[in-house]
Amino acid sequence: MNLRFYNTINRKKEDFHSIDKGKVRMYTCGPTVYDFAHIGNYRTFMFEDLLRRYLEFRGYDVTQAMNLTDVDDNTIRRSRERGISLTELTDEFKAAFHADLKTLNIQPAHQYPEATRYIAEMIEMVQNLEDQGYAYKTEDGSIYFNIAKYDNYGKLAHLNPEEMLSGERVTDDSYEKEGARDFALWKGYKAEDGDVHWESPWGKGRPGWHIECSVMSTELLGEHFDIHCGGVDNIFPHHENEIAQSVCATGKEFVNYWLHSEYLLVDNKKMSKSLNNFYTLRDLLDQGHAADAIRWMLITTHYRQKLNFSVNRLGEAARAVARLKMFHERLENYKVDGPESVDNLVADTHIRFQNAMDNDLNISGGLSAVFDLLHKGHRLMDRDLLSQSGAAKVHQLLKTIDHVLGVLEMDSGSDPTVDEVFIESKIEERNTARANKDFAASDAIRDELADLGIELIDTSDGTKWKLK
RNA sequence: GGCGUGGUGCCCAAGUUGGUCUAAGGGAGUGGUUUGCAAAACCAUCAUUCGCCGGUUCGAAUCCGACCCACGCCUCCA
């Protein structure tokens, strides 16, 4: 089966062909670093991680760039509110963002371009657009892109510029623009900007939001690259504007595949700062939820499907991850050498997983193959039928698939500070009690550790413990 | 107003170029095996049914028409 993706610009699934054979260049819109990202934001970054990991699973050499927006209305306003410099503010949340990515086991992008480091290149692109007649200057020293000059404007979002102009919002829109939907490439300096400004051919000011992604993607991935992602809310106006800028500036194709992930919902409403119905990663971790369960929850609903967040779902996710991990551990510790080599089972599982994922990352279909493997593997081990080489093959396949899922190596515990020596001594004490058939004492010790968040599991291989 | 997405068992969810769907998989439940008891695992059970109505067809969750409901974009936003 061919790898296919739903391409927003054509509103249909298309076979994926990279520009350079075997290589994929992808640009993923990153966060504006003025505050902690919430898990709705992370749903998109998680989707992009899944996409990247799956492309790698399929053998592609992937180059990913993710921008960090470190200058815009929000960052400037917030830094002034807090009385700190723009850099102080954005450094804080850049660090928090990278820490969160690590917690969620999201593979780092190869590049994290920051808008403030590409000002010269942005000025150059704006100048280029102005020179070609696509942009005009206004009284306040801003430069706007004239969408009337670009015939294909609205193609990505499927919006008709004519109709956009007729809305009741025209009156709220800015004054100096010629067309209501024209957008700023460069913003002339205003007093509210404080000391945030750069010199330009149009006087001092700062770049518009959209130009940053056009410039940084081009600088790092070339004028024409394979995949551009973001949340569905980026479709319009951000990505639409990027296309207009880039295509007009370079005269070339910009991006081949536009992939967008759906929202994370809370009580069927979009999770957002303005509705104040959001959870940050830190909120959930503080409540005792494990990062691997959060990752699982965000990753296992198809990316173009709205996902309704609930604590209940986190519980389900935690149990599913636990099952996967226990199977993985059981394979590692499996000692019997039975007659079944399971070549067909392994091959079938691999194909089923791949065929499902090839179809626009159908994770549910892929996971059904994985859980079928779990079930059949356990059954064979229960009956001592699985061979050692078979166990090794299943184990290897699980690891290969986990390159995509990325949960096996994650810690399920919420508290890493436990005294292992103490636990081991308690286990020993309990084993002595069990050997003497003093089950009351044995259970008392188990309850004692349970109160500390430690769960004991008796296996044929001895007593194991894990964090609950 | 324009554009768009989704409604499948108790919950989540795949399948939607018609037949292999007598509807995958996960979570929960129920009965059993195993275990000192647990945990995990295994066995069995869990939708004559896919929002509603009508139509096309030998055959529809999948196609057509109407309707109901939920959500989103058209404004900064993952």
Side-chain angles (χ1 to χ4, degrees):
Chain A
M1 193 185 230
N2 287 324
L3 178 55
R4 300 191 301 156
F5 294 127
Y6 182 89
N7 195 348
T8 303
I9 202 158
N10 294 320
R11 301 274 160 112
K12 63 178 190 219
K13 289 182 194 172
E14 298 175 349
D15 283 351
F16 178 73
H17 299 290
S18 60
I19 295 167
D20 295 330
K21 196 167 166 50
K23 295 185 178 179
V24 174
R25 283 169 285 146
M26 61 188 275
Y27 187 88
T28 52
C29 278
T32 300
V33 284
Y34 73 106
D35 201 348
F36 293 110
H38 59 65
I39 56 166
N41 302 127
Y42 285 117
R43 184 183 186 197
T44 294
F45 304 138
M46 198 72 88
F47 144 66
E48 292 158 351
D49 184 53
L50 183 72
L51 173 63
R52 152 102 177 268
R53 286 165 172 271
Y54 189 65
L55 286 166
E56 288 172 350
F57 173 93
R58 285 297 248 119
Y60 286 100
D61 178 8
V62 182
T63 304
Q64 179 191 3
M66 174 179 278
N67 69 295
L68 300 176
T69 298
D70 59 355
V71 56
D72 78 324
D73 293 348
N74 288 321
T75 45
I76 292 171
R77 182 172 29 82
R78 186 63 59 88
S79 68
R80 299 200 77 193
E81 281 167 8
R82 287 180 51 180
I84 58 179
S85 73
L86 185 69
T87 314
E88 276 177 276
L89 177 86
T90 58
D91 280 354
E92 179 182 338
F93 291 107
K94 281 171 194 169
F97 178 64
H98 287 299
D100 284 357
L101 293 184
K102 193 156 185 250
T103 302
L104 290 170
N105 201 25
I106 291 174
Q107 288 190 332
H110 301 87
Q111 306 259 14
Y112 287 102
E114 299 172 357
T116 51
R117 295 174 188 267
Y118 288 83
I119 303 292
E121 291 85 349
M122 293 183 207
I123 289 172
E124 202 177 306
M125 187 179 274
V126 175
Q127 182 72 66
N128 172 351
L129 289 168
E130 190 184 29
D131 291 347
Q132 292 193 68
Y134 288 113
Y136 58 88
K137 188 175 178 181
T138 55
E139 290 289 309
D140 65 350
S142 296
I143 305 290
Y144 281 88
F145 185 94
N146 184 349
I147 65 166
K149 298 271 182 166
Y150 178 55
D151 289 343
N152 282 328
Y153 193 82
K155 190 168 175 242
L156 178 71
H158 288 228
L159 292 171
N160 181 342
E162 307 292 319
E163 288 168 3
M164 283 193 271
L165 296 177
S166 66
E168 53 190 81
R169 291 193 179 84
V170 170
T171 47
D172 324 323
D173 261 314
S174 302
Y175 14 96
E176 299 192 74
K177 298 191 231 176
E178 289 174 10
R181 296 296 156 186
D182 289 349
F183 57 91
L185 296 167
W186 182 264
K187 294 185 166 188
Y189 180 76
K190 292 197 188 76
E192 305 94 88
D193 294 341
D195 59 358
V196 178
H197 54 79
W198 288 265
E199 283 307 322
S200 80
W202 317 283
K204 69 179 181 177
R206 60 186 169 95
W209 176 44
H210 313 296
I211 197 75
E212 95 180 43
C213 285
S214 280
V215 165
M216 297 193 292
S217 61
T218 297
E219 288 292 320
L220 296 171
L221 302 175
E223 290 173 341
H224 181 205
F225 57 94
D226 298 293
I227 300 177
H228 196 131
C229 309
V232 288
D233 45 355
N234 282 152
I235 295 172
F236 192 89
H238 187 52
H239 290 164
E240 190 70 62
N241 292 351
E242 273 186 60
I243 293 172
Q245 293 163 343
S246 290
V247 170
C248 291
T250 68
K252 294 181 184 167
E253 288 282 305
F254 179 41
V255 168
N256 285 158
Y257 300 89
W258 290 91
L259 274 57
H260 294 95
S261 61
E262 257 296 347
Y263 291 129
L264 182 66
L265 310 178
V266 178
D267 296 330
N268 274 320
K269 296 269 191 281
K270 171 181 172 177
M271 180 178 286
S272 70
K273 297 244 157 104
S274 53
L275 287 173
N276 202 36
N277 61 351
F278 63 92
Y279 296 82
T280 65
L281 179 59
R282 286 129 208 274
D283 290 338
L284 295 178
L285 295 175
D286 288 348
Q287 286 168 25
H289 298 291
D292 60 357
I294 297 169
R295 180 179 173 90
W296 187 267
M297 182 195 73
L298 293 177
I299 225 169
T300 53
T301 291
H302 186 85
Y303 73 95
R304 286 191 292 110
Q305 187 79 34
K306 292 172 185 72
L307 195 178
N308 210 358
F309 172 82
S310 71
V311 168
N312 192 40
R313 285 180 78 132
L314 276 178
E316 289 180 13
R319 283 184 282 276
V321 174
R323 257 192 87 191
L324 200 63
K325 286 183 171 180
M326 280 184 276
F327 181 62
H328 182 249
E329 260 177 59
R330 187 177 184 190
L331 285 168
E332 282 178 330
N333 297 320
Y334 183 69
K335 300 286 195 306
V336 180
D337 193 13
E340 295 284 348
S341 61
V342 295
D343 289 348
N344 288 340
L345 175 62
V346 168
D348 286 352
T349 303
H350 191 110
I351 288 294
R352 274 180 65 196
F353 180 77
Q354 183 170 113
N355 283 347
M357 291 294 283
D358 272 0
N359 183 14
D360 195 34
L361 304 180
N362 181 351
I363 187 81
S364 302
L367 253 27
S368 75
V370 173
F371 281 104
D372 280 346
L373 175 72
L374 245 74
H375 185 235
K376 287 172 179 153
H378 270 132
R379 180 210 286 255
L380 290 172
M381 286 189 280
D382 270 10
R383 297 169 190 186
D384 289 345
L385 291 174
L386 186 61
S387 66
Q388 278 296 302
S389 66
K393 284 174 199 156
V394 174
H395 187 247
Q396 182 52 49
L397 176 62
L398 213 56
K399 277 169 46 180
T400 303
I401 287 174
D402 189 59
H403 178 261
V404 179
L405 303 177
V407 291
L408 285 181
E409 70 272 33
M410 288 179 78
D411 200 339
S412 298
S414 51
D415 178 19
T417 59
V418 285
D419 184 347
E420 298 194 16
V421 177
F422 171 74
I423 296 168
E424 293 299 340
S425 74
K426 281 292 175 188
I427 287 175
E428 209 165 306
E429 195 181 317
R430 177 167 169 273
N431 282 341
T432 306
R434 290 178 71 211
N436 295 330
K437 303 224 182 286
D438 184 357
F439 296 121
S442 163
D443 290 349
I445 292 168
R446 183 162 60 192
D447 290 345
E448 182 190 343
L449 289 175
D451 287 342
L452 299 171
I454 311 291
E455 187 177 5
L456 296 184
I457 301 141
D458 297 323
T459 72
S460 55
D461 226 28
T463 300
K464 297 185 191 306
W465 65 272
K466 64 172 189 176
L467 295 167
K468 278 204 276 199

